[in-house]
Amino acid sequence: MANDRRFFVGGNWKLNGDRQSIDGIIQFLNAGPLDENTEVVVSPPAIYLDYVKSKLGASVATSAQNCYKLAKGAFTGENSAAMAKDVGATWVILGHSERRHVFGETDELIGEKVKHVLSEGLGVIACIGEKLEEREANQTNNVVFQQTKAIAANISDWSRVVLAYEPVWAIGTGKTASPDQAQQVHKDLREWLAQNVSPEVARTTRIIYGGSVSAGNCRELATKGDVDGFLVGGASLKPDFVQIVNARKV
């Protein structure tokens, strides 16, 4: 079934890059060609946001990988949405599994961050996903619905929110949810949105997939009706990222 949700591909560089390697990434992004029907966002480490924005072509937006729930103050080591916006970023990734499971961020804190970032006028790439033992215990939907509920309670404007489903067991492991597994969770999430937020939000909100997306598997994933794009990790550092951006291009 066709829909009018614009395909969205984000590149999460995580804790990677220096000026030399970033120059190489910018080179292949600017060379493209990138499918003009795809919204493309890259998320470098915060210290390079300004540098990347100054060199990227206008068709690729930038995102912070995280930020705090307040605009400023005595919070050593944190960055704010206002600072990201000041250097040209238009998105923030929040709730990534590495923030949840490596740094101990709670559903409550992630919800507070979502509320703050939206209040600053930026878009949010909100991440949800289950761990391997949760999937094996058939708890996938319970986990992702609970995470989504904490996010949804803090959303004032759904038009600036992209949901990223990233099964934790598939991130950086080389394991990927099969296209059918991804489609099933995305479909269930859309039904949850219809019942708990509104049918309109369910119809228009983009739900993207992350978890070892590659040039080799992106085209099949992109054929699934409820998969509206990707959040790409390691592959976003390589020229293959262009093929992932173009996953729906004939």
Side-chain angles (χ1 to χ4, degrees), residues 8 93-97 100 124-129 144 147-148 151 161-167 186 189 205-210 229-232:
F8 183 104
I93 300 171
L94 293 172
H96 192 280
S97 66
R100 294 175 186 271
V124 171
I125 302 167
C127 302
I128 52 181
V144 298
Q147 292 170 343
T148 305
I151 290 164
V161 177
V162 171
L163 280 181
Y165 168 60
E166 294 201 305
H186 285 224
L189 274 168
T205 298
R206 291 173 292 184
I207 306 175
I208 64 176
Y209 172 76
F230 306 115
L231 187 56
V232 184

Side-chain angles (χ1 to χ4, degrees), residues 138-173:
N138 294 315
Q139 293 298 307
T140 295
N141 281 8
N142 290 346
V143 171
V144 298
F145 292 169
Q146 180 184 332
Q147 292 170 343
T148 305
K149 183 179 180 181
I151 290 164
N154 290 282
I155 292 176
S156 52
D157 178 4
W158 278 91
S159 71
R160 287 189 285 118
V161 177
V162 171
L163 280 181
Y165 168 60
E166 294 201 305
V168 180
W169 49 271
I171 297 174
T173 59

Side-chain angles (χ1 to χ4, degrees), residues 13 22 25 80 86 91 121 123 129 157 159 185 197 213:
W13 298 0
I22 286 170
I25 296 170
S80 74
D86 193 41
W91 293 87
D157 178 4
S159 71
V185 177
V197 184
V213 177

Side-chain angles (χ1 to χ4, degrees), residues 37-243:
N37 295 314
T38 298
E39 185 169 359
V40 185
V41 178
V42 294
S43 191
I47 206 162
Y48 293 117
L49 271 170
D50 199 12
Y51 183 76
V52 170
K53 184 65 181 174
S54 71
K55 289 176 170 273
L56 265 182
S59 66
V60 180
T62 55
S63 170
Q65 294 179 15
N66 180 40
C67 74
Y68 195 51
K69 64 180 181 179
L70 297 170
K72 60 184 178 180
F75 305 107
T76 300
E78 292 291 331
N79 297 293
S80 74
M83 292 170 183
K85 185 165 66 172
D86 193 41
V87 294
T90 48
W91 293 87
V92 181
I93 300 171
L94 293 172
H96 192 280
S97 66
E98 288 149 18
R99 299 305 314 171
R100 294 175 186 271
H101 302 305
V102 180
F103 298 101
E105 293 193 8
T106 62
D107 285 348
E108 181 184 15
L109 176 61
I110 292 159
E112 291 170 336
K113 290 182 175 192
V114 167
K115 186 173 187 175
H116 176 69
V117 169
L118 291 173
S119 77
E120 290 281 1
L122 294 167
V124 171
I125 302 167
C127 302
I128 52 181
E130 83 284 7
K131 293 188 279 192
L132 182 60
E133 59 267 30
E134 293 165 339
R135 173 165 281 271
E136 289 176 342
N138 294 315
Q139 293 298 307
T140 295
N141 281 8
N142 290 346
V143 171
V144 298
F145 292 169
Q146 180 184 332
Q147 292 170 343
T148 305
K149 183 179 180 181
I151 290 164
N154 290 282
I155 292 176
S156 52
D157 178 4
W158 278 91
S159 71
R160 287 189 285 118
V161 177
V162 171
L163 280 181
Y165 168 60
E166 294 201 305
V168 180
W169 49 271
I171 297 174
T173 59
K175 295 179 182 176
T176 314
S178 72
D180 288 337
Q181 283 176 317
Q183 165 61 19
Q184 186 61 54
V185 177
H186 285 224
K187 179 173 176 285
D188 293 343
L189 274 168
R190 210 172 292 288
E191 288 172 0
W192 186 93
L193 290 174
Q195 292 167 14
N196 294 277
V197 184
S198 77
E200 176 67 8
V201 163
R203 187 182 66 79
T204 57
T205 298
R206 291 173 292 184
I207 306 175
I208 64 176
Y209 172 76
S212 298
V213 177
S214 68
N217 61 29
C218 63
R219 283 193 169 265
E220 188 182 357
L221 283 161
T223 64
K224 298 299 177 180
D226 289 297
V227 176
D228 301 315
F230 306 115
L231 187 56
V232 184
S236 68
L237 304 170
K238 302 168 187 167
D240 277 1
F241 185 63
V242 172
Q243 293 181 55

